[in-house]
C-alpha cells in the first residue's frame, strides 16, 4: 500500500514520495517544517491511510531515551518486599514498557510517532541509534533481548530548535514540509470548511499571506492559525468586504489574536500602521 494523503490531510506529491520512500527503505522518516504545517498530524494520517495502529511518543525536555524502551520501578519493588508481597519474586512486575517496546511487540506493523525529538537533550537521538537501526534492545533486569516482530513505520518530527547529530541523520530519510502555496492552502481550507464563502477565503488569504510578508515578525502565522482565524470569521459572520478593505499597513485585521501571538508582533504591526497613516 502507498500513502496518498487522506480526505482530511492534503499531502503534496513530494511528501507522499518521502513517506513511501522511508517505508520502502525501512528507515525512520524525519520531518521538519514550520510549526503548524501538519508534521504531527502526518503520522496520524499515515496510520489511517494504511490502516495501521498508531503509537505516539511525545517528547519533552525531560524525556530520556530509556523511557522509550522501559522503566524499572525499584522503589515499588522495595516497598512490596517490605510488605511481604509475593509479586516481588518476578521483576517483570516492575517493568513499565515504553513506546518502543509497545511498537516492537505489537501483533502487526504499527506507525510509531516520535514527536518533537529536538525538545530533548542533545544526546537523546544518539541514545536511540542502535534500537532504531537494529530494531531490538536488551532488558538488563531479565537478560532478555526484545526484537521487533514487525518493523514499525517510524515518523520523527523536529521543529529545528537544535541541531541533530550526524549519526542520527544518516539513519533517517529526511523531508522538509515547505509552507503551502496559495493553491495548496485553498485545498486545505476546503477540507476544513467545505461550505465556506469563496469571497471570504479569497480576501482572508490575501490578508494572511500579506501578514506573513511583514518584515521583522517574530512569529509568522501558520496554517493551523489560518484555520482558527477562518473559524472565528465564520462564527462572527464577518462580511468578506471588511477583509477586502483591510490593509495591514494601516490597520490590524479583525480578530487578529488568532494570527498574531505575541506582543512584539502586535506592537510592530501597530507601529507600521501608525507610520503609514502618518506618511
Amino acid at each position: 500500500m502507498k500513502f496518498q494523503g487522506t480526505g482530511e490531510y492534503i499531502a503534496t506529491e513530494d511528501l507522499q514520495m518521502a513517506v513511501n520512500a522511508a517505508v520502502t527503505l525501512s528507515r525512520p522518516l524525519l520531518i521538519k517544517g514550520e510549526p503548524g504545517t501538519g508534521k504531527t498530524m502526518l503520522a496520524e494520517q499515515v496510520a489511517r491511510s494504511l490502516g495501521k495502529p498508531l503509537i505516539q511518543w511525545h517528547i519533552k525536555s525531560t524525556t530520556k531515551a530509556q523511557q522509550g524502551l522501559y522503566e524499572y520501578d525499584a522503589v515499588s519493588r522495595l516497598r512490596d518486599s517490605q510488605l511481604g508481597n509475593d509479586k516481588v519474586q518476578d521483576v517483570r512486575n516492575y517493568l513499565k514498557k515504553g513506546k518502543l517496546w509497545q511498537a516492537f511487540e505489537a501483533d502487526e506493523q504499527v506507525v510509531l510517532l516520535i514527536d518533537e525529538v529536538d525538545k530533548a537533550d542533545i544526546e537523546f537521538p544518539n541514545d536511540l541509534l542502535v534500537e532504531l537501526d537494529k530494531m531490538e534492545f536488551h532488558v538488563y533486569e531479565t537478560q532478555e533481548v526484545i526484537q521487533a516482530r514487525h518493523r514499525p513505520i517510524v515518523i520523527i518530527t523536529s521543529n529545528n530548535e537544535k541541531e541533530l547529530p550526524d549519526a542520527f541523520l544518516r539513519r533517517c530519510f529526511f523531508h522538509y514540509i515547505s509552507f503551502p502555496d496559495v493553491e495548496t492552502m485553498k485545498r486545505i481550507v476546503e477540507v476544513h470548511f467545505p461550505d465556506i464563502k469563496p469571497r471570504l477565503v479569497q480576501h482572508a488569504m490575501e490578508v494572511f499571506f500579506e501578514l506573513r510578508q511583514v518584515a521583522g515578525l517574530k512569529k509568522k502565522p501558520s496554517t493551523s492559525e489560518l484555520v482558527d482565524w477562518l473559524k472565528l470569521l465564520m462564527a462572527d459572520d464577518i462580511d468578506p468586504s471588511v477583509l477586502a478593505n483591510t490593509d495591514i499597513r494601516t490597520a490590524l485585521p479583525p480578530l487578529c489574536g488568532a494570527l498574531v501571538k505575541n506582543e512584539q508582533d502586535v506592537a510592530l504591526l501597530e507601529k507600521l500602521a501608525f507610520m503609514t497613516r502618518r506618511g
Side-chain angles (χ1 to χ4, degrees):
M1 296 177 65
K2 297 288 187 180
F3 174 68
Q4 297 178 326
T6 68
E8 301 176 5
Y9 189 90
I10 303 300
T12 62
E13 290 186 7
D14 287 345
L15 180 55
Q16 295 176 35
M17 188 180 302
V19 172
N20 293 321
V23 172
T24 300
L25 293 172
S26 297
R27 295 277 190 181
L29 173 62
L30 175 60
I31 294 289
K32 291 186 179 183
E34 287 186 30
T37 50
K39 300 186 295 298
T40 300
M41 189 181 295
L42 172 65
E44 300 171 3
Q45 298 304 317
V46 168
R48 179 172 300 180
S49 173
L50 301 182
K52 299 184 181 299
L54 174 65
I55 295 177
Q56 303 184 60
W57 186 15
H58 299 288
I59 307 303
K60 301 178 181 180
S61 60
T62 56
T63 303
K64 302 298 181 184
Q66 180 64 32
Q67 294 173 294
L69 308 178
Y70 69 93
E71 293 182 88
Y72 172 50
D73 191 351
V75 175
S76 292
R77 193 181 189 192
L78 175 61
R79 183 179 63 247
D80 288 345
S81 68
Q82 293 171 338
L83 296 174
N85 195 321
D86 291 339
K87 65 184 292 188
V88 299
Q89 303 302 322
D90 189 351
V91 70
R92 292 177 179 82
N93 292 323
Y94 303 94
L95 297 180
K96 180 182 178 181
K97 297 177 181 179
K99 299 298 184 179
L100 279 174
W101 192 333
Q102 295 173 31
F104 285 5
E105 72 172 5
D107 293 330
E108 60 179 308
Q109 186 182 46
V110 303
V111 176
L112 173 62
L113 169 65
I114 304 177
D115 195 28
E116 298 188 329
V117 68
D118 53 327
K119 275 189 175 180
D121 184 84
I122 188 62
E123 293 302 322
F124 178 89
N126 279 335
D127 291 342
L128 288 177
L129 288 181
V130 174
E131 289 76 13
L132 291 177
D133 201 19
K134 294 186 176 181
M135 285 290 150
E136 65 178 36
F137 64 91
H138 183 253
V139 181
Y140 296 100
E141 288 75 11
T142 62
Q143 295 302 305
E144 294 176 287
V145 175
I146 306 300
Q147 295 180 318
R149 297 179 184 176
H150 307 277
R151 192 179 189 97
I153 298 171
V154 182
I155 297 179
I156 304 171
T157 70
S158 169
N159 285 326
N160 228 10
E161 292 182 2
K162 57 173 70 88
E163 290 294 325
L164 298 174
D166 289 345
F168 179 78
L169 295 175
R170 283 199 302 271
R171 288 164 169 80
C172 298
F173 189 94
F174 172 75
H175 181 75
Y176 184 88
I177 298 182
S178 301
F179 195 83
D181 58 22
V182 174
E183 291 305 315
T184 303
M185 190 66 81
K186 285 181 179 178
R187 293 169 58 199
I188 293 173
V189 170
E190 288 172 0
V191 167
H192 289 274
F193 309 110
D195 300 322
I196 194 171
K197 298 175 184 177
R199 286 185 63 239
L200 180 61
V201 174
Q202 176 188 344
H203 296 313
M205 288 185 56
E206 288 174 357
V207 173
F208 174 77
F209 279 99
E210 183 181 356
L211 180 58
R212 281 185 55 85
Q213 295 301 316
V214 173
L217 275 186
K218 185 175 181 180
K219 183 191 179 306
K220 297 180 179 180
S222 67
T223 304
S224 61
E225 286 155 345
L226 171 62
V227 171
D228 288 344
W229 187 46
L230 286 171
K231 185 176 182 178
L232 290 174
L233 293 176
M234 294 172 65
D236 283 11
D237 198 22
I238 299 294
D239 193 309
S241 61
V242 174
L243 297 180
N245 297 323
T246 296
D247 184 347
I248 62 170
R249 293 170 297 179
T250 59
L252 295 179
L255 300 168
C256 70
L259 298 174
V260 186
K261 296 299 181 69
N262 61 67
E263 62 276 14
Q264 295 97 322
D265 288 346
V266 172
L268 174 64
L269 293 173
E270 289 176 341
K271 182 178 180 180
L272 175 64
F274 172 77
M275 294 181 66
T276 302
R277 291 194 299 266
R278 186 177 180 182

